[in-house]
Amino acid sequence: LIVLKKISKIYKMGKVEVPALVDADLQIKKGEYLAIMGPSGSGKSTLMNVLGCLDVPTSGEYYLDSKDVGKLNDVEMASIRNQMIGFVFQTFNLLPRLNARKNVELPLIYAGVKRQERHIRADKLLESVGLSGRAEHLPSELSGGERQRVAIARSLANDPHLILADEPTGNLDSKSGEEIMKIFDSLNKSGVTIIVVTHENFIAEHADKSIHILDGRIERIEVHKK
Amino acid sequence: LIVLKKISKIYKMGKVEVPALVDADLQIKKGEYLAIMGPSGSGKSTLMNVLGCLDVPTSGEYYLDSKDVGKLNDVEMASIRNQMIGFVFQTFNLLPRLNARKNVELPLIYAGVKRQERHIRADKLLESVGLSGRAEHLPSELSGGERQRVAIARSLANDPHLILADEPTGNLDSKSGEEIMKIFDSLNKSGVTIIVVTHENFIAEHADKSIHILDGRIERIEVHKK
Ligand SMILES: Nc1ncnc2c1ncn2[C@@H]1O[C@H](COP(=O)(O)OP(=O)(O)OP(=O)(O)O)[C@@H](O)[C@H]1O
Ligand SMILES: Nc1ncnc2c1ncn2[C@@H]1O[C@H](COP(=O)(O)OP(=O)(O)OP(=O)(O)O)[C@@H](O)[C@H]1O
Ligand SMILES: [Mg+2]
Ligand SMILES: [Mg+2]
């Protein structure tokens, strides 16, 4: 499904270069379950943003479903993203003026789903992440972990083939975190490819493999016995 | 240092009441090291915002250093907060247009510290949280965990007597998280009172005691053998 060849992302700040990602090579098969681990600032989110077609690498090639992403224009990129990928941002990125239900409905609006069905699917997703009593709350009227769970529910709205979750349990207690992982585990069993960034080992252990990143480079790949 | 008597915080949304905190009673001595734990949405941040004089409770009394906080006006509240309390927000709350160093200098500007000394203290604090190479980066040019560490450095700038840290390690790998806890541990040894919200047991074990919150109520207090 995914092939990265020598992907680099180097930020230029005045005269200084900040290598966020250097020469990343990675192949991910359909239906695989991968964890990305590494110290703070090592390049995990940068890698996720390239994988999610949200950021353009400085150099290197990225093939998604055999398409060369570097050759796509903005419209094609956006349509692949909306149809195929569910993204959970490390900073949640909820729209502040929409309540929890409407934030979850957003991908369904882009996909042209009718209003009544959108409501039903959004409420079901909010219930699955334990937020049925909070559908009408604005993001500012939710706790940190509740906002994170709205972001998770939103990423699942369009039945994506690929889920990219950047630290999906960072603000959650272990019980809420395990409930989210159960959702990811069952989606993976049904064939959804999942890539999750985490710094918690007990979360990474749900995956088939972990890659460890250090200073922008993929240092090693660890296969889990499951 | 801190006495809470029957503190409640009840949000009203239209006709619905959302009890975020109910009848919280708590005493914290000077120099104590307390962890606050509980599920997502249980009221931890609400309690921290009351303790940090950032939010007014619906009912109940709060005495800080023997002063009745409920009777203070905004100017007195702000001056107690700036002089006495270092607050690490769950959402970091960095100013987006200031670089890392300037965000850390902010409390020092309010305290009237001269420019050169501010620079030196801010750079020292950034070094202590492992960010010496990132002083000129804007928040948008930092990783999630790096932003969190800038927020931690900022909370220590004014040598506070009381540190309130809401999930200070949520976005950090365990090594970076342990480095932050080492800073808190040594500040506590020098007499600083520390209250930390966390959902990670290995973080809570640094404290003398943990309180467990469930649905807005303090359910139990656990003393740690250290
Ligand atoms: N402005 C508000 N209006 C209505 N409800 C609110 C508001 N702010 C918070 N709440 C509700 O109050 C409850 C407690 O929120 P709080 O932020 O204290 O939880 P928390 O324990 O910090 O959770 P987390 O671990 O997820 O950060 C939550 O269920 C939340 O939905
Ligand atoms: N826009 C930018 N300009 C300059 N440097 C940047 C920019 N964005 C990120 N960086 C730097 O690139 C490095 C990698 O950032 P990235 O967000 O990928 O790290 P991360 O592994 O996700 O960290 P964390 O676990 O703390 O979230 C960081 O050191 C950061 O300072
Ligand atoms: Mg990150
Ligand atoms: Mg909170």
Side-chain angles (χ1 to χ4, degrees), chain A residues 40-41 43-46 90 166-167 197, chain B residues 142-145 147 171:
Chain A
S40 172
K44 305 179 296 296
S45 295
T46 304
Q90 187 171 4
D166 195 343
E167 296 276 0
V197 168
Chain B
L142 292 169
S143 79
R147 285 194 290 268
N171 275 275

Side-chain angles (χ1 to χ4, degrees), chain B residues 21-136:
Chain B
L21 209 55
V22 183
D23 288 348
D25 289 316
L26 191 57
Q27 292 90 42
I28 302 168
K29 292 188 205 72
K30 256 184 203 159
E32 217 168 324
Y33 197 163
L34 178 72
I36 298 176
M37 302 191 81
S40 171
S42 57
K44 305 179 296 295
S45 295
T46 304
L47 175 57
M48 288 294 259
N49 292 340
V50 170
L51 288 170
C53 301
L54 290 161
D55 208 358
V56 182
T58 314
S59 59
E61 297 162 68
Y62 174 19
Y63 296 92
L64 176 60
D65 216 7
S66 311
K67 289 183 202 70
D68 182 347
V69 172
K71 298 228 166 29
L72 299 176
N73 63 36
D74 281 358
V75 176
E76 289 164 324
M77 277 273 267
S79 96
I80 281 189
R81 232 171 25 223
N82 289 341
Q83 286 169 17
M84 226 189 120
I85 302 174
F87 204 106
V88 186
F89 293 88
Q90 187 170 5
T91 48
F92 320 156
N93 288 13
L94 300 178
L95 294 191
R97 288 199 199 129
L98 299 185
N99 66 23
R101 181 190 291 120
K102 286 194 186 117
N103 263 286
V104 175
E105 285 183 19
L106 215 56
L108 301 174
I109 294 174
Y110 290 135
V113 175
K114 293 264 174 306
R115 199 157 170 277
Q116 197 181 359
E117 193 193 334
R118 278 195 328 245
H119 253 58
I120 293 168
R121 276 165 73 171
D123 280 347
K124 233 179 176 170
L125 283 163
L126 285 172
E127 191 186 348
S128 75
V129 295
L131 286 180
S132 7
R134 297 284 183 268
E136 319 244 323

Side-chain angles (χ1 to χ4, degrees), chain A residues 62 73 110 135 150 169 188 196 211 217-219 222:
Chain A
Y62 173 21
N73 63 36
Y110 289 135
V150 173
T169 62
N188 181 249
V196 57
I211 62 169
R217 288 171 190 276
I218 298 175
E219 288 288 302
E222 183 192 343

Side-chain angles (χ1 to χ4, degrees), chain A residues 57-152:
Chain A
T58 313
S59 59
E61 296 163 69
Y62 173 21
Y63 296 91
L64 176 60
D65 218 4
S66 310
K67 288 185 204 71
D68 181 348
V69 173
K71 296 225 168 28
L72 298 176
N73 63 36
D74 280 359
V75 176
E76 289 164 325
M77 226 102 121
S79 96
I80 280 188
R81 229 169 29 220
N82 289 341
Q83 284 168 19
M84 230 190 113
I85 303 175
F87 204 105
V88 186
F89 293 88
Q90 187 171 4
T91 49
F92 319 156
N93 289 13
L94 299 178
L95 295 190
R97 289 200 198 126
L98 298 185
N99 66 24
R101 180 189 291 120
K102 283 192 187 120
N103 262 287
V104 175
E105 285 183 22
L106 216 56
L108 301 172
I109 294 174
Y110 289 135
V113 175
K114 293 261 173 308
R115 199 156 169 278
Q116 197 180 1
E117 194 193 331
R118 279 195 329 243
H119 253 58
I120 293 170
R121 277 167 71 172
D123 280 349
K124 234 181 179 167
L125 283 163
L126 284 173
E127 191 186 349
S128 75
V129 295
L131 285 179
S132 9
R134 296 283 183 268
E136 318 243 323
H137 284 232
L138 292 177
S140 60
E141 296 168 337
L142 292 169
S143 80
E146 290 173 341
R147 284 193 290 269
Q148 186 157 40
R149 285 182 277 159
V150 173
I152 291 165

